[in-house]
């Protein structure tokens, strides 16, 4: 059964609303033809080999299923029941399955309208008398860039005759309401009343071989590597997983077959004469490979043409007929690939493969960053680069190494990775910040593409030394070494002066406020880092010095010194919140409000001034000092606690459930400090056994370690103070734009960048003000989709390769233990609580918190946690630092911890060994 040229005369000429030739469709007809049919039309327009056929449009589905809806009251009921309601939770799975079954029954029981049946008959007969066809579902909510819906609706192969085609059409319509498709749409929040289904009727190819091809490697993300699975007969055997197919990886540019793994191919799906298919056992002589090198290369070239035409990697179904002709029968975007990093600044990046590291993850942030949040970091990154005397042509676009992917921040580390000094510094920095990233960077050392080209530190010193001198970093280090108390006083003056200089004039207009926000980002915020960082760096260096003087003290001997540290703004904040909870516990009215009301509702009552007096006074004091903080607080688009105190109110309610006095956080913190002092005394005594001078040096070094190591949290704290002021100025501007009708609401401004915000001002000299509401709506939808993305690559190559995917899967020991990096010593056995978002999270006292990553916005939960397990981080990441200070065992960098541990599972966390074991 061979495809032939399209028959003369278009059936669409007689029934333009119901039937269209595939060749007449394009991507702009999604609502009319659905994703599958629209993509097939585009493939035809690209000149690629596609079997001819026609599309029964969504107008036919709507006519058959209810326009008006009273024609199918059962379906109308289901659509109303499934319609997403603001604030409503997900529909119960069993109830959802019942509703989906009701919808299918309603469609299968309804007659096909006469004009629809006539249109199908005319178009089918136009293909030939009793010609075998494939009848495929083509939904309006499928084959989309963000959701493929692959396999969600039904396909019927080798359908012969008008009546069987009409019955297949009816079944395709019903398959819009399969359990899996209904659940998938509900999970994405797609309104069921807005979806419809077209049907593709396409001349059958009777293939010798068929299968699936991905034009990028779906496992590693590598672009340009076509991955092909092939099996004898119809491709249904491959798609359904009925066989182990032959597997090929082909370099699409050169056509070279890079990998080949023959499958067993024990069965094949074949067309049956007269209609239908059957599964047959493969003959013994079918053991050979399905494709030779030339066929695999030719398929890869077709895939590359389709990818270039669509502008994105494709998931393609293909077939090769008895004459050796290759056909493409479906094409859809691969939605699981992580985007390739895009450099926003100067493009002079050189040639060859580049290495990008996710800065978002290094900061404990897995969620995407709003457009304005990314615009903020482009300006901050530009100020850093300019301070180091790098050329930045347009600060709003960021410096050359800055990149974005998946609405997250990445930096090009290729140049330092190819230098001797960079290879020495980078992994060591990430060993303590994000240990898994350090492992991945070391993995690239042996790659020829990243061989060392710079062997001296001169280029680095030329940029770093002048910047350090201008920031007076050497002076800070010397003062911290010889006059530690004076160093702390000077730092206190700096932070007070910094905060005092942030505010804009009260009467400033929108343009002035935007300019003030940009000025802070360009000139003020970066000064925080060189002013503060030398002191905590000195603290950790002194810890290392004491270890050396002691003759090589182990980490588990030095780590207790870092418990209960003074001068840590994050632990001070958490303990202040605990003290508020203690005060509230003594006030029955406040305690009742916290323990009986929903945190979101109580937050609204607080903002309206309708909560008990003690709760209102205490919470107001706390927010006056710490209200600029938030979860994911490095993103100016995220509400601060002062904007929405729901999270803090929920944490206070959690604290009130702690009834064991010895577990009180302030008691735990004091005990941690006492244990640290005792350890210092032991280490000094041990040094004294070597000589009095050793004791003096170790005592001085450990004193400075305890004085300054806690300042590790201060640079970010002060940065967030500045970002909160930037956010406040932007909200002023957003309110002006919303009042003028240019934006729907003030916080829409966080879905613009600075250039767009300036253009939107009514008095902007550029002329007419653009209507940005549609742009904001599109960006909000894209942002919400990214919020749901779980796997964020730590290290990406410029060809899309996820470096972590090249490593073997994380090993699990025979006893079920998971391994990571030791972060806080000690051992605890308790129930796990997996939390992906701390806002509204419930953590019982003593439970072990299991999280993807944490930033300071998470740390109020730590006060009542029995232990901590994180997928990200290193020994000096935010979570590890705070866990040590509270004395709770912690293991970080545990791959896929939130997926491999379940809430309620009893586990043992050994923070010294870096293991997490089922209890």
């Amino acid at each position: 059964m061979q495809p032939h040229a399209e028959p003369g005369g278009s059936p669409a000429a007689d029934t333009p609303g119901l039937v269209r030739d595939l060749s007449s469709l394009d991507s702009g007809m999604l609502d009319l033809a659905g994703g599958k049919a629209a993509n097939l039309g585009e493939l035809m327009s690209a000149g690629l080999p596609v079997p001819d056929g026609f599309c029964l449009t969504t107008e036919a589905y709507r006519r058959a299923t209810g326009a008006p809806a009273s024609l199918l009251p059962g379906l109308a009921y289901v659509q109303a029941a499934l319609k997403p309601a603001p604030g409503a939770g997900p529909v119960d799975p069993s109830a959802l399955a019942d509703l989906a079954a009701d919808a299918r029954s309603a469609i299968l029981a309804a007659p096909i309208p006469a004009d629809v049946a006539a249109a199908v008959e005319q178009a089918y007969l136009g293909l030939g008398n009793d010609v075998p066809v494939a009848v495929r579902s083509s939904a309006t909510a499928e084959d989309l860039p963000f959701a493929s819906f692959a396999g969600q609706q039904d396909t019927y192969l080798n359908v012969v005759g008008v009546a069987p085609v009409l019955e297949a059409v009816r079944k395709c319509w019903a398959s819009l309401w399969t359990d899996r498709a209904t659940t998938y749409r509900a999970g994405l929040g797609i309104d069921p009343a807005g979806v419809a289904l077209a049907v593709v009727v396409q001349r059958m190819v009777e293939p010798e071989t068929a299968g699936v091809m991905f034009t990028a490697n779906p496992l590693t993300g590598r672009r340009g590597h076509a991955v092909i699975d092939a099996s004898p007969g119809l491709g249904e055997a491959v798609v359904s997983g009925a066989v182990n197919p032959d597997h090929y990886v082909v370099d699409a540019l050169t056509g070279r077959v890079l990998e080949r793994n023959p499958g067993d191919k024990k069965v094949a799906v074949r067309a049956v004469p007269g209609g239908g298919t059957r599964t047959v056992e493969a003959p013994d002589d079918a053991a050979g490979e399905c494709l030779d090198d030339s066929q695999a290369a030719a398929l890869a070239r077709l895939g590359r043409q389709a990818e270039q035409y669509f502008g994105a990697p494709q998931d393609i179904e293909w077939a090769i007929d008895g004459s050796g002709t290759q056909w493409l029968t479906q094409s859809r975007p691969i939605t699981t690939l992580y985007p390739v990093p895009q450099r926003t600044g100067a493009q002079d990046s050189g040639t060859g493969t580049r290495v990008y590291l996710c800065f978002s993850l290094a900061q404990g942030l897995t969620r995407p960053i709003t457009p304005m949040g990314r615009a903020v970091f482009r300006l901050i990154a530009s100020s850093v680069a300019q301070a180091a005397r790098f050329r930045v042509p347009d600060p709003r676009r960021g410096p050359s190494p800055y990149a974005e992917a998946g609405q997250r921040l990445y930096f090009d580390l290729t140049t330092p990775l190819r230098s001797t000094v960079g290879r020495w510094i980078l992994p060591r920095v990430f060993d303590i910040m994000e240990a898994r990233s350090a492992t991945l960077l070391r993995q690239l050392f042996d790659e020829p593409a990243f061989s060392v080209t710079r062997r001296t530190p001169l280029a680095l010193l030329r940029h770093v030394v002048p910047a350090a001198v201008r920031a007076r970093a050497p002076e800070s280090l010397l003062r911290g070494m010889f006059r530690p108390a004076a160093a702390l006083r000077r730092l206190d003056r700096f932070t007070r002066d910094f905060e005092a200089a942030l505010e804009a004039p009260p009467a400033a207009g929108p343009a002035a406020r935007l300019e003030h926000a940009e000025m802070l980002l360009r000139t003020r915020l970066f000064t925080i880092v060189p002013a503060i960082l030398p002191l905590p760096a000195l603290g950790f260096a002194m810890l290392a010095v004491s270890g050396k003087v002691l003759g090589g003290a182990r980490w588990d001997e030095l780590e207790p010194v870092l418990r209960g540290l003074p001068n840590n703004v994050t632990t001070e904040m958490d303990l202040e919140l605990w003290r508020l909870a203690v005060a509230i516990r003594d006030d029955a009215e406040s305690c009742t409000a916290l323990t009986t009301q929903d945190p979101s509702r109580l937050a609204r009552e607080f903002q309206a001034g309708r909560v008990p007096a003690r709760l209102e006074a205490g919470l107001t004091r706390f927010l006056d000092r710490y209200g600029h903080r938030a979860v994911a607080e490095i993103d100016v688009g995220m509400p601060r606690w002062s904007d929405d105190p729901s999270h803090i109110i929920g944490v206070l309610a959690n604290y009130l459930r702690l009834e064991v006095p010895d577990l009180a956080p302030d008691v735990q913190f004091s005990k941690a400090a006492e244990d640290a002092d005792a350890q210092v005394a032991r280490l000094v005594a041990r040094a004294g056994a070597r000589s009095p001078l050793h004791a003096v040096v170790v005592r001085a070094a450990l004193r400075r370690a305890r004085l300054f190591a806690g300042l590790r949290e201060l640079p970010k704290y002060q940065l967030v103070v500045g970002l909160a002021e930037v956010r406040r100025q932007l909200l002023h501007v957003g309110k002006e734009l919303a009042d003028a009708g240019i934006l729907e609401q003030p916080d829409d401004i966080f879905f613009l960048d600075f250039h767009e915000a300036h253009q939107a001002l009514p008095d902007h000299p550029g002329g007419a003000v653009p209507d940005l509401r549609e742009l904001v709506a599109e960006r909000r939808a894209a942002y919400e989709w990214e919020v749901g993305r779980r796997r964020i690559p730590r290290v990406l190559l410029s060809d899309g390769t996820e470096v972590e995917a090249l490593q073997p899967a994380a090993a699990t020991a025979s006893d079920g233990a998971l391994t990571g990096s030791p972060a806080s010593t000690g051992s605890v056995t308790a129930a796990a609580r997996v939390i992906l978002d701390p806002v509204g999270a419930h953590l019982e006292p003593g439970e072990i918190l299991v999280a993807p990553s944490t930033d300071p916005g998470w740390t109020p939960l730590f006060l009542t946690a029995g232990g901590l397990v994180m997928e990200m981080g290193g020994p000096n990441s935010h979570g590890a630092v705070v866990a040590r200070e509270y004395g709770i065992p912690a293991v970080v960098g545990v791959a896929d911890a939130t997926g491999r541990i379940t809430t309620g599972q009893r586990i043992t966390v050994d923070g010294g060994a870096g293991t997490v074991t089922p209890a």
Side-chain angles (χ1 to χ4, degrees):
M1 287 175 279
Q2 298 299 313
H4 59 65
E6 185 178 315
S10 169
D14 298 321
T15 53
L18 297 176
V19 174
R20 297 289 297 262
D21 284 336
L22 289 179
S23 61
S24 71
L25 302 176
D26 59 45
S27 59
M29 299 179 181
L30 184 67
D31 289 340
L32 179 72
K36 188 178 284 92
N39 286 350
L40 286 170
E42 291 284 2
L43 287 174
M44 287 180 158
S45 297
L48 292 165
V50 176
D52 62 311
F54 63 89
C55 172
L56 184 65
T57 68
T58 54
E59 174 60 27
Y61 170 84
R62 292 189 173 99
R63 194 171 300 184
T65 58
S70 58
L71 292 177
L72 274 182
L75 181 59
Y77 164 75
V78 171
Q79 289 175 333
L82 290 174
K83 183 178 177 63
V91 179
D92 177 72
S94 60
L96 191 147
D98 290 341
L99 290 168
D102 291 343
R104 293 194 300 275
S105 298
I107 294 172
L108 290 172
I112 295 179
D115 58 343
V116 173
V120 172
E121 181 177 5
Q122 179 184 354
Y124 173 69
L125 293 176
L127 293 174
N129 188 33
D130 284 344
V131 62
V133 293
V135 181
R136 307 178 190 275
S137 304
S138 180
T140 54
E142 73 169 0
D143 294 354
L144 305 176
F146 62 89
S148 75
F149 285 80
Q152 301 291 331
Q153 283 88 39
D154 290 345
T155 288
Y156 299 90
L157 301 176
N158 198 38
V159 182
V160 180
V162 173
V165 167
L166 287 171
E167 184 59 24
V169 165
R170 189 200 308 269
K171 290 178 179 178
C172 284
W173 286 341
S175 75
L176 185 63
W177 299 94
T178 61
D179 292 354
R180 60 186 183 274
T182 307
T183 301
Y184 195 53
R185 287 195 300 270
L188 290 174
I190 295 174
D191 187 348
V195 297
L197 190 122
V199 180
V200 173
V201 180
Q202 194 174 19
R203 182 180 295 276
M204 275 287 292
V205 173
E206 185 170 2
E208 291 295 316
T209 301
V212 175
M213 170 171 55
F214 295 92
T215 66
N217 192 316
L219 297 180
T220 67
R222 175 79 178 265
R223 271 58 165 185
H225 279 191
V227 177
I228 303 171
D229 286 343
S231 185
L234 295 169
E236 176 65 17
V238 176
V239 173
S240 66
V243 296
N244 292 321
D246 292 346
H247 180 79
Y248 306 85
V249 178
V250 184
D251 186 322
L253 189 60
T254 65
R256 186 164 64 94
V257 177
L258 305 173
E259 296 178 27
R260 54 165 22 94
N261 295 300
D264 54 31
K265 307 181 293 296
K266 292 183 178 180
V267 298
V269 179
R270 298 286 186 184
V272 176
T277 63
R278 64 190 176 100
T279 301
V280 299
E281 291 188 10
D284 293 337
D285 60 0
E289 291 186 30
C290 291
L291 302 175
D292 59 30
D293 283 8
S294 63
Q295 289 174 314
L299 277 173
R301 282 194 296 272
L302 287 177
R304 181 173 172 81
Q305 291 176 52
E307 177 179 287
Q308 290 176 333
Y309 183 81
F310 285 109
Q314 297 291 296
D315 169 3
I316 294 171
E317 293 183 23
W318 55 270
I320 302 177
D321 65 23
S323 68
T325 303
Q326 297 186 341
W327 299 93
L328 306 185
T329 58
Q330 288 191 52
S331 186
R332 63 175 67 91
I334 305 175
T335 60
T336 57
L337 293 175
Y338 196 81
V340 174
Q342 299 295 317
R343 297 164 70 102
T344 61
Q347 298 301 306
D348 183 22
S349 60
T351 58
T353 307
R354 314 294 296 179
V355 181
Y356 295 93
L357 183 131
C358 186
F359 181 77
S360 297
L361 286 183
Q363 289 298 308
L365 187 61
T366 56
R367 64 182 297 130
I369 297 178
T370 58
M372 185 62 80
R374 300 196 302 275
V376 161
F377 266 91
R378 289 196 292 272
L379 285 173
I380 294 175
S382 294
S383 72
V384 174
Q386 289 171 325
R389 295 183 178 177
F390 288 100
R391 181 174 175 269
V392 183
D394 183 355
R396 284 182 178 172
R397 293 176 61 83
S400 181
Y402 177 93
E404 296 175 3
Q407 302 184 36
R408 293 164 178 89
L409 310 182
Y410 282 80
F411 279 92
D412 184 347
L413 297 185
T414 311
T415 298
L417 196 66
R418 301 193 69 180
S419 75
T420 302
V421 175
R423 288 192 172 197
W424 191 88
I425 294 175
L426 281 176
R428 286 168 172 79
V429 169
F430 284 100
D431 277 336
I432 60 175
M433 285 182 59
E434 216 294 296
R436 185 72 175 160
S437 295
T439 300
L440 298 177
L441 289 174
R442 288 188 176 98
Q443 180 182 333
L444 297 174
F445 286 179
D446 295 330
E447 293 292 326
F450 308 117
S451 58
V452 172
T453 57
R454 294 186 180 183
R455 302 186 180 280
T456 69
L458 295 179
L460 177 66
L461 294 175
R462 189 164 56 246
H463 292 288
V464 171
V465 170
V469 170
R470 285 197 301 276
R472 302 169 71 179
E475 179 184 338
S476 296
L477 286 171
L478 290 172
R479 185 181 289 108
M481 179 69 76
F482 298 108
R483 300 179 59 205
L488 289 175
R489 288 194 299 271
R490 182 175 180 273
L491 185 57
D492 182 61
R493 286 195 302 273
F494 169 82
T495 56
R496 283 188 277 110
D497 292 345
F498 171 80
E499 293 178 23
L502 291 176
E503 292 189 15
R513 290 185 183 277
L514 279 177
E515 289 166 3
H516 179 72
E518 286 197 81
M519 181 277 295
L520 292 178
L521 297 167
R522 289 178 188 234
T523 64
R524 292 289 294 148
L525 263 63
F526 174 62
T527 61
I528 295 165
V529 176
I532 299 175
L533 195 58
L535 291 182
L538 177 62
F540 285 103
M542 289 294 97
L543 187 69
V545 165
S546 63
K548 294 287 186 184
V549 174
L550 286 165
R554 301 187 312 273
W555 169 249
D556 62 344
E557 296 175 305
L558 296 175
E559 183 264 345
V561 173
L562 300 179
R563 298 193 170 196
L565 289 173
N567 304 319
N568 186 318
V569 288
T570 300
T571 54
E572 289 170 0
M573 174 190 74
D574 295 341
L575 291 171
E576 182 67 24
L577 191 61
W578 167 253
R579 285 189 282 270
L580 173 56
V582 171
I584 288 171
R585 192 190 296 273
D586 296 333
D587 182 67
E589 189 179 6
S590 297
C591 194
T592 299
L594 274 172
T595 55
T596 61
Q597 291 194 43
D598 175 75
S600 296
R601 179 184 173 192
L602 196 57
R604 293 192 293 272
E605 294 291 301
F606 167 75
Q607 290 172 327
R610 296 194 296 263
V611 297
R614 184 171 295 186
L615 174 59
E616 180 176 20
L619 193 54
T620 298
R621 282 195 304 273
F622 180 84
L623 293 176
D624 282 346
R625 183 171 181 186
Y626 297 110
H628 63 281
R629 305 215 77 166
V631 175
E633 60 194 0
I634 64 172
D635 182 359
V636 293
M638 292 296 291
R640 309 290 108 171
W641 288 339
S642 56
D643 300 325
D644 179 5
S646 301
H647 174 51
I648 291 302
I649 290 173
V651 171
L652 284 171
N654 278 344
Y655 287 176
L656 292 178
R657 289 197 291 272
L658 184 63
E659 297 178 351
V660 182
D662 288 346
L663 295 180
D666 51 352
V667 174
Q668 294 280 75
F669 186 81
S670 296
K671 183 178 182 304
E674 291 171 3
D675 291 345
D677 289 339
Q679 182 67 4
V680 168
R682 283 191 289 271
L683 293 175
V684 170
R686 179 169 144 190
R690 303 185 72 182
S691 76
L693 179 59
H694 282 79
V696 170
V697 171
V698 168
R699 181 182 291 108
L702 293 181
R703 175 173 177 252
R704 282 154 182 78
R706 285 194 55 75
L707 270 180
F708 297 142
L711 295 173
R712 176 247 187 272
E713 296 287 297
L714 189 58
K716 185 172 185 179
Y717 179 89
Q718 291 298 126
L719 175 67
V720 172
V721 169
L723 292 178
E725 182 60 26
V726 170
R727 175 181 168 85
R728 193 171 73 87
Q729 299 302 326
L730 290 170
L731 279 174
H732 275 293
V733 178
K735 184 177 185 307
E736 295 268 357
L737 295 178
D739 290 345
I742 296 168
L743 298 177
E744 291 286 346
Q745 54 198 36
D747 67 352
D748 281 351
I749 195 167
F750 298 115
F751 290 86
L752 306 176
D753 60 25
F754 282 103
H755 175 71
E756 292 161 343
H758 276 289
Q759 281 193 314
L761 296 178
D763 57 351
H764 187 266
V769 177
D771 184 349
L772 297 170
R773 287 172 292 188
E774 183 175 346
L775 175 64
V776 167
E778 291 175 358
R779 287 180 177 174
R780 279 189 179 274
Y783 174 83
E784 289 302 325
W785 189 86
E786 279 292 342
V787 167
R789 191 191 291 273
R790 287 295 312 278
R791 193 184 81 253
I792 316 300
R794 292 169 166 87
V795 180
L796 267 174
L797 304 187
S798 52
D799 62 8
T801 300
E802 299 180 19
V803 176
E804 197 160 14
L806 301 177
Q807 289 197 318
T812 302
S814 58
D815 61 355
L818 308 178
T819 59
S821 298
S824 179
T825 56
S827 179
V828 63
T829 299
R833 175 75 63 170
V834 178
I835 296 179
L836 303 180
D837 186 339
V839 178
H842 176 85
L843 182 71
E844 289 291 342
E847 287 184 326
I848 295 170
L849 172 61
V850 182
S853 65
T854 62
D855 69 358
W858 284 72
T859 58
L861 292 174
F862 288 22
L863 285 183
T864 55
L868 173 69
V869 178
M870 293 198 313
E871 294 178 339
M872 313 294 178
N876 201 24
S877 57
H878 293 286
V881 168
V882 178
R884 280 198 298 271
E885 298 209 14
Y886 295 151
I888 62 174
V891 179
V892 300
V894 180
D896 196 28
T898 59
R900 301 164 78 185
I901 299 171
T902 58
T903 293
Q905 178 183 359
R906 287 187 65 79
I907 58 176
T908 297
V909 174
D910 188 330
T915 60
V916 182
T917 311

